Structures are given as C-alpha cells and as structure tokens.
Amino acid sequence: MTFIILKLTSFPFFITFESKLNGMILVIGSGGQVGQELVSKLRQKHGNDAVISSDISPLKDEDGPSIQLDALDKAAIEDSISRYKIKTVYHLAALLSANAEKQIHFAWKLNMESLFNVLELGKEGRIDQIFWPSSIAVFGPTTPKTNTPQDTVTDPTTVYGISKLAGERWCEYYANNFNVDVRSIRYPGLIGYKSMPGGGTTDYAVDIFHKALSDGKYICFLKADTKLPMMYMEDAIRATIEIMEAPKDSIRIRSSYNLAGISFSPEEIATIIQRQLPQFEIEYAPDFRQKIAESWPQSINDNAAQKDWNWQLEYNLDKMCKDMLWHLK
Ligand code: AKB
C-alpha cells in the first residue's frame, strides 16, 4: 500500500490520501483515442504524478509525467519500469482494423511483439498487473451475428482481428502458465468527444458528429443499415478501470471479456442526430471498410462481464448522442 502526496494547484496546501496503488502506472500508447481519456481519468483517481503517459511521438499538454516510448523497444520499456517503479501497465499501442489492412506485416509485428514485451515483464515478476485491449474484431463471418456469446466461433478475416485473437490466446497462456495478472476487454467501436479515433472501421460513428456540426452533412463509408456494436467512451474507460480494480479471483476469463455496448447502424444514429440538427444530411459511399464491418457481429452478449465483475452499461444511444452534441457544440 502506497501513500501518495497530491498537490492541488488551486489550494495552497498538500493533501495525503491512501491509494490502492502498489506502484506507478504506465500507459503505453497514450496518444491514441483510448489513451488520452484513460490517462486523464487515472490521473483524476490516483494523482497526476502517479500516472506516466507514453507514446512513440512526444505528447503535448500533459498534466503529469510523460515519456517518449516505442512499444517495440523492449529495453526502453524495461528501463522505464525500473526507473519509474511501475507496477501496472495499460498497453494500448496497436494498429486498428482499417490501417492494419494497409500495412499487414507491420500491424502483425506491432500488435504482437509489443504485447510479448509487456507479458514477459509480468512473467519476470517485474510488474503486477497488465491491461491489454482486445476487440469485437476477433469475431468473423461465421460467428453468430446477434447476441454473440462469450465463447463461440472466432474466425477473424482481418489482420487486426487475427492479431487480437492471437493476443487473447497469449494472454490466457501467460495467465495460466506463469500466473501473469493480465486483464482484457473486447472493445466495441468507441465514441468520444475528447479524442479522435485513428484508422478503425467504426471511426464513422465519431466523424459523423464532427461533420454534422461543422458541415451539416456527412458522407459515410459504410452502408446505411450496417449495424455494429459501439460504446460511449465514458462507459469504456469506466469498464477498463473497473476490470483492473476487480478482485483477482473474480476475473475468470483471462483471454478477453465481451462488452455489449449499444448496437446501431449509420441510418439509426443519423436519425437521432437529425432530431437535434434537423438540417443534417447523410449520404453513403461504402469503401473497403464495408467488408470488414460485415464480418463483425451486430450485437454482443456480455453476461460474463456482468456476472464476474458487475459490469453495467450507463449510456444508451439517445443519452450518448445528446452528450456528444452538447460537448462538441
Ligand atoms: C476498429 O474499428 O478497428 C476498432 C475496433 C472495433 O476494435 N474500433
């Protein structure tokens, strides 16, 4: 148990609080869509100085310690772990589905080797806990399309999906054979107003809000009725922190947990946006991402996450759209 001194800049005194942290937290890939919001939430919770953000490019406007770190550079990660007394790693660096199709070998290298770098640190007992995100991309065209179960056919047809499925198997292997405390969630498409997604198939669901407000019009790269599971960032960040804080014994699944989120199609979200912005227009020009989207489930069953670590969703489609538009306006 560590005691952390938190300096409140708006108050001329220090407060001390007891944190559940046994050491510092490192977030690898902090510059991405999830990283930016996760770092900020973890800093609110544990204090700015307890969370080291890191990315391959230097990060700007940081509220706490930040380092430049290549997820493929094992020696640099090891050095940071020792130097900053890191005990928990959130490893987020990856190439997402659409980008990975353009650089298949690099995507495989980045997504797999960087995971091994972190799992090995867990095996060597140098860190206590690892979070690594998986994705609905582990599913494929022969997976049941609706209410997709936790354990079912996984036959991904994208490089990203193949790397996430392989990663899940390795996480379970390191947990079972080397007692590594690695925890994971199969993220649906993520939607937030603070950060932009980078190179995924579900990116349209963020772009649509920005274009609705700036241009009053959006040209969608998926067909109107392409239903996919998505989740508001508030819920996704809460899920990430809740799974990491759950008692070790309650995490029965060491590959990755399904999270359902909310399922909708481009035409459904456009209709909801039109309620607040009646002039908004949407057109459809499907590209290569349509095939990827069609290979993924339309809705997910997350009973296992609900049962094991009490997962509960807070944002439905209406609530998410209202919050997105309010913040972006
Ligand atoms: C993507 O579209 O690649 C990601 C994902 C579903 O993992 N958002």
Side-chain angles (χ1 to χ4, degrees), residues 33 96-98 134-137 160 187-190 199-203 229 296:
Q33 189 195 13
L96 297 186
S97 58
S134 186
S135 159
I136 55 159
Y160 175 65
Y187 284 140
L190 300 180
T201 303
T202 56
D203 292 11
W296 291 348

Side-chain angles (χ1 to χ4, degrees), residues 33-42 44-46 90 92 131 183-185 187-188 190-191 194 230-246 251 259-262 302 305-306 309-316 319:
Q33 189 195 13
V34 177
Q36 293 176 35
E37 302 216 20
L38 181 65
V39 166
S40 136
K41 191 57 96 191
L42 288 170
Q44 272 171 32
K45 216 173 153 51
H46 300 292
Y90 290 78
L92 308 175
F131 176 82
R183 305 175 183 207
S184 177
I185 284 169
Y187 284 140
L190 300 180
I191 301 169
K194 291 186 193 153
M230 305 273 185
M231 183 177 276
Y232 198 37
M233 194 59 89
E234 298 288 316
D235 276 331
I237 298 297
R238 189 169 50 80
T240 306
I241 293 175
E242 282 179 10
I243 193 177
M244 289 295 272
E245 289 184 345
I251 306 299
L259 280 196
I262 36 185
D302 66 7
Q306 293 184 35
W309 43 280
N310 300 321
W311 168 244
Q312 286 301 325
L313 189 78
E314 273 180 15
Y315 283 81
N316 62 21
K319 192 172 167 192

